[in-house]
Amino acid sequence: MADAIIDNIPKLNHDEINSSITIPLTPTSGVPKYDLSGMVFGTTQAPFDPTYKFFATEGATYSLLDTSFFDPYLRLYDRSGNAIATNSEDSDSAAEIIFSDLLHDENGEKHSLDVIIEWTAPYSGIFFIKPGWEQELIHKNYLLVVSSDMDTAVQQISQLSDTDTDRIFNWGESAYTNLFPEHQNSQADVQGYYARIYSNGDALGERDGIIYYYDGGTDGTGEIVAVGTISDYLPQAVAAGF
């Protein structure tokens, strides 16, 4: 079910969508409840009016948080650039207690916080974020965090088989030869993933119905990035004859 569009918040324009910056969501450990997370932060001048994007999985639950010295705003947009969620002052006040350790900079100055808590993705695909940071001349810390709980999404896709995963991996090897230079057999348990590891250091993995890419080449980032779900890629693999 799609989120209702918030009519009084302007739609993202073409330039904002095209210049948006990706926040990779990677597996997290030691953080209660959340399976994936990604963040943007800094201690200097924040980018001017930035737009960020992340990949969400249908049915998964997401929480977003941003901080800056003065009260920021936090807005979430769908793939068409329509505003579909924003922070509320009631939620922000409650979150200040939970996330109090994030609200002080290295000098002990308190920053303001906005949150969108327990939002459920209505589809698998791209969503956009406007963090609306408001900085002070001296205290310039800023932060944006996206975290996801995949348990609710897993229930929708857990019936898919390893055979479906292999069809996607085979299609990926055919479609992205620059990333996956040769065919590899899948391994049942590579640090918790059903995976294929390639000679260039890159890897494909699947866990709980989510497809991951490991950028492990010579010039790679070393990050494990969620790129989609089996449900997203299986139709493409089938259409290509895999």
Side-chain angles (χ1 to χ4, degrees), residues 129-149:
I129 305 170
K130 281 282 193 183
W133 293 309
E134 292 287 345
Q135 293 182 295
E136 197 254 357
L137 289 176
I138 298 175
H139 307 290
K140 296 184 177 181
N141 290 38
Y142 62 91
L143 173 70
L144 171 63
V145 181
V146 181
S147 302
S148 70
D149 175 9

Side-chain angles (χ1 to χ4, degrees), residues 3-234:
D3 289 308
I5 295 173
I6 303 174
D7 293 326
N8 63 343
I9 296 178
K11 185 175 180 178
L12 295 178
N13 61 44
H14 182 77
D15 289 339
E16 288 174 313
I17 289 176
N18 285 344
S19 64
S20 59
I21 303 164
T22 299
I23 302 178
L25 302 187
T26 58
T28 182
S29 60
V31 180
K33 186 176 177 61
Y34 296 114
D35 304 299
L36 304 173
S37 66
M39 69 173 61
V40 176
F41 64 93
T43 58
T44 58
Q45 185 65 44
F48 176 72
D49 193 29
T51 304
Y52 294 93
K53 62 185 174 185
F54 67 99
F55 180 91
T57 300
E58 181 178 359
T61 305
Y62 293 81
S63 291
L64 289 66
L65 173 151
D66 74 342
T67 68
S68 61
F69 187 80
F70 296 114
D71 191 17
Y73 61 77
L74 184 59
R75 294 171 181 171
L76 180 65
Y77 301 79
D78 65 16
R79 57 192 161 200
S80 299
N82 299 302
I84 55 174
T86 187
N87 64 290
S88 71
E89 295 305 320
D90 289 342
S91 296
D92 296 344
S93 298
E96 284 191 5
I97 300 173
I98 301 172
F99 299 105
S100 59
D101 57 328
L102 298 176
L103 298 184
H104 294 83
D105 63 20
E106 62 276 9
N107 298 313
E109 292 291 338
K110 184 179 179 181
H111 286 51
S112 297
L113 169 148
D114 281 345
V115 294
I116 296 173
I117 297 292
E118 301 295 307
W119 168 79
T120 301
Y123 62 83
S124 293
I126 295 297
F127 292 85
F128 299 95
I129 305 170
K130 281 282 193 183
W133 293 309
E134 292 287 345
Q135 293 182 295
E136 197 254 357
L137 289 176
I138 298 175
H139 307 290
K140 296 184 177 181
N141 290 38
Y142 62 91
L143 173 70
L144 171 63
V145 181
V146 181
S147 302
S148 70
D149 175 9
M150 302 302 296
D151 290 346
T152 51
V154 169
Q155 296 174 8
Q156 301 176 11
I157 54 183
S158 60
Q159 300 303 314
L160 296 169
S161 67
D162 288 345
T163 301
D164 294 325
T165 303
D166 285 323
R167 295 171 77 177
I168 293 169
F169 286 177
N170 291 338
W171 167 77
E173 290 173 351
S174 174
Y176 300 98
T177 55
N178 58 318
L179 299 177
F180 315 118
E182 76 283 330
H183 173 70
Q184 292 286 350
N185 292 323
S186 299
Q187 302 178 47
D189 187 4
V190 181
Q191 297 184 353
Y193 296 87
Y194 184 77
R196 294 183 184 182
I197 302 172
Y198 297 90
S199 59
N200 61 358
D202 289 352
L204 275 171
E206 180 272 333
R207 184 169 67 186
D208 295 333
I210 310 298
I211 303 296
Y212 295 89
Y213 166 63
Y214 172 62
D215 188 7
T218 303
D219 298 320
T221 63
E223 291 185 332
I224 301 173
V225 180
V227 295
T229 68
I230 290 178
S231 299
D232 296 328
Y233 287 111
L234 186 58

